[in-house]
Amino acid sequence: MFPLHDRTRRRIVLAAFGAFGVLPTLLILLWGLSRQTPWHTMAAARRLENVLGLRVRMDRVRNTRPGVWRYERLSIFDPETGQTILSCEQLDVAYTGHGSDAPATLVLRARRPVGADSATAVLYQVLSRAMQGQMGPSPLDVRWTADELTLGEGERAIRLAGFSGGTQSHPAGVQAQLQFRLADGAGAGAEPAHIEILRNRQASPADLELKLYTGAVALPCRLLAVGLPALGPLGPQSQFRGYLQADRTPQGWRGELTGYFSDVDLGRIVRERFAQHLTGAGQVTVERVRFNGGRVEEAWGSATIGPGTISRRLLDAAVEQMGLIQNAPPTDRDDPLAYRQLAANWRLSADGLSIQGRCPAAGPGTLLAGTEPWQIGEPVAQPVPVAALVRTLVPDGLPEVPAAPQTAWLLRHLPLPESDHEAADRRAAAKMR
């Protein structure tokens, strides 16, 4: 080794100390300071915006450990209206599985998230995008948890506890699961509700299978109406407890439902769909309903509604078209008429509608009991043709089925009567069994 001058050796040592000691320290210091700048927070917000497709704002972002970021005081906005959709005190975000053959996983843990009334619809859209592989340039699975999720404000707020779920890719498609329970009342310690969605990519167009089990506690219909719009018109206080299984095919939804509906606003359904007057809230038990292509094939159950009011026009149409029996005609000149209770067992199929009146405070077979001594009994000739039900709800003074938008909606969803050949084939198949 050749000898070096003492001054040269000192310069080499100083250079090595600067290159391997001071410079890395300065770089690390500058890197740490850059993590505290607003630009770093804005960049983190943009990354989350690219994944969610929504506007994001946060007060601070921290890298708590390798691969894990903590977003503090996070707010998510609708990109069009600017309305706040969801906000939470803290959101931990982690990416796992990078570099492997399996899809990467986005893990979200939220602390006390609060959503607006429109949050459920937006979150459902984000879930749909995740299942369609639109959350990023490469396949991405998602897992999420929240200690408690509050949707809405004031008395209309819905508080969900134990909120968890996620999406997972399979060779045949994508499966999403969601579990939660109501945080208030009887739902606090009850069995959680479970929702499962399976998107089958092997079919073209992709099929969608939905399974819903509410657990032991009824869920608000306005919460379920985000993915099941048919539950929306049942009223803001309505609830559902039961089970639903449905497959979305090119012809429409096919499946079955069984359960119990409480606080159903019958007046809202009749008013919005048929411009008729019939008010009253109550309970509807669905023993089973089978539907195919969006049309009910067969359904049976029971209903208890009231008290409420009914217009003379609708009452007269029901008596005339459906053959209901007026055990004691109403003498009150008021219109609409007040009634105490509407109660019946019912069955709807291609053969028609069968009704069994069961008002406990009136005589046997009473379908509708008025506040004064008037009663409407079940029809003698049953089942009542589906066309008679349509003429009752959409009357126009003609003996034929009236042509109206309400009629089209009914005929699109009610069972179709069988032809003579179809009925004969069905009876022959039944005899062979």
Side-chain angles (χ1 to χ4, degrees):
M1 185 175 179
F2 55 91
L4 295 176
H5 192 274
D6 184 61
R7 181 182 301 176
T8 302
R9 289 197 300 269
R10 287 197 298 268
R11 288 177 178 176
I12 293 175
V13 172
L14 289 174
F17 175 74
F20 299 104
V22 177
L23 184 59
T25 302
L26 290 176
L27 292 177
I28 293 174
L29 179 63
L30 292 175
W31 177 81
L33 292 175
S34 68
R35 292 296 181 115
Q36 308 301 318
T37 63
W39 297 279
H40 176 67
T41 303
M42 294 171 59
R46 284 195 297 270
R47 286 195 299 268
L48 194 56
E49 287 177 344
N50 293 334
V51 173
L52 299 178
L54 303 168
R55 284 180 52 201
V56 175
R57 186 176 65 197
M58 64 190 75
D59 287 356
R60 185 185 179 189
V61 59
R62 292 190 297 144
N63 192 192
T64 57
R65 61 180 185 269
V68 179
W69 289 265
R70 174 166 295 172
Y71 302 151
E72 299 178 356
R73 289 176 291 278
L74 173 74
S75 298
I76 300 176
F77 303 88
D78 188 309
E80 294 185 353
T81 64
Q83 179 184 5
T84 302
I85 298 172
L86 190 71
S87 60
C88 63
E89 299 177 6
Q90 180 179 296
L91 177 67
D92 289 341
V93 180
Y95 291 90
T96 63
H98 285 291
S100 62
D101 296 334
T105 301
L106 174 65
V107 182
L108 305 175
R109 294 185 177 89
R111 179 182 178 186
R112 296 189 179 277
V114 178
D117 290 334
S118 60
T120 50
V122 176
L123 293 176
Y124 180 76
Q125 294 175 3
V126 173
L127 175 61
S128 298
R129 292 179 55 244
M131 297 191 68
Q132 296 174 25
Q134 300 176 359
M135 295 291 285
S138 58
L140 182 68
D141 291 344
V142 184
R143 295 204 310 267
W144 58 79
T145 58
D147 52 357
E148 183 177 293
L149 173 61
T150 303
L151 299 171
E153 299 178 354
E155 296 181 354
R156 287 180 52 86
I158 301 174
R159 295 172 57 237
L160 306 178
F163 190 85
S164 64
T167 65
Q168 186 175 6
S169 299
H170 299 281
V174 181
Q175 183 180 23
Q177 292 186 352
L178 181 63
Q179 292 186 356
F180 60 88
R181 64 179 186 273
L182 297 178
D184 301 323
E191 178 185 6
H194 183 82
I195 300 176
E196 181 178 328
I197 305 174
L198 177 61
R199 181 179 176 85
N200 182 11
R201 292 175 175 171
Q202 294 181 336
S204 182
D207 289 342
L208 201 67
E209 181 181 359
L210 170 65
K211 294 181 181 179
L212 164 66
Y213 175 62
T214 65
V217 178
L219 299 179
C221 288
R222 58 189 175 93
L223 174 65
L224 302 176
V226 177
L228 303 169
L231 301 183
L234 299 183
Q237 303 301 322
S238 60
Q239 297 180 319
F240 171 69
R241 183 181 76 245
Y243 175 78
L244 167 68
Q245 184 276 327
D247 299 322
R248 190 183 66 184
T249 66
Q251 292 75 33
W253 286 96
R254 178 187 65 230
E256 62 180 52
L257 176 145
T258 180
Y260 175 77
F261 293 91
S262 60
D263 297 319
V264 175
D265 188 349
L266 182 62
R268 178 174 179 177
I269 300 173
V270 174
R271 181 176 62 253
E272 291 185 358
R273 290 294 185 187
F274 313 111
Q276 295 276 24
H277 183 90
L278 175 61
T279 66
Q283 292 73 43
V284 178
T285 299
V286 179
E287 299 293 343
R288 187 185 183 191
V289 56
R290 292 191 296 108
F291 51 91
N292 191 359
R295 182 187 302 280
V296 175
E297 291 186 335
E298 187 177 25
W300 64 91
S302 60
T304 303
I305 308 293
T309 57
I310 182 172
S311 66
R312 287 181 178 270
R313 178 192 182 197
L314 180 57
L315 183 62
D316 293 342
V319 170
E320 178 183 357
Q321 301 295 341
M322 300 180 62
L324 303 183
I325 305 301
Q326 295 195 43
N327 297 328
T331 59
D332 195 339
R333 295 182 177 274
D334 292 340
D335 190 6
L337 296 165
Y339 70 90
R340 288 178 296 165
Q341 191 178 56
L342 168 64
N345 295 331
W346 50 269
R347 188 181 189 96
L348 181 65
S349 67
D351 295 331
L353 174 64
S354 299
I355 311 172
Q356 179 186 359
R358 58 177 192 88
C359 289
T366 301
L367 175 65
L368 182 65
T371 55
E372 60 169 302
W374 63 269
Q375 300 175 1
I376 302 297
E378 63 188 41
V380 175
Q382 298 204 50
V384 177
V386 172
L389 175 62
V390 175
R391 287 194 296 265
T392 299
L393 294 173
V394 195
D396 69 347
L398 298 176
E400 296 82 8
V401 175
Q406 298 92 336
T407 307
W409 184 87
L410 281 171
L411 296 179
R412 192 165 57 247
H413 293 86
L414 292 178
L416 288 176
E418 294 179 322
S419 65
D420 294 340
H421 295 293
E422 291 173 335
D425 292 342
R426 183 168 59 87
R427 288 193 295 268
K431 289 181 179 180
M432 293 179 63
R433 290 196 297 267

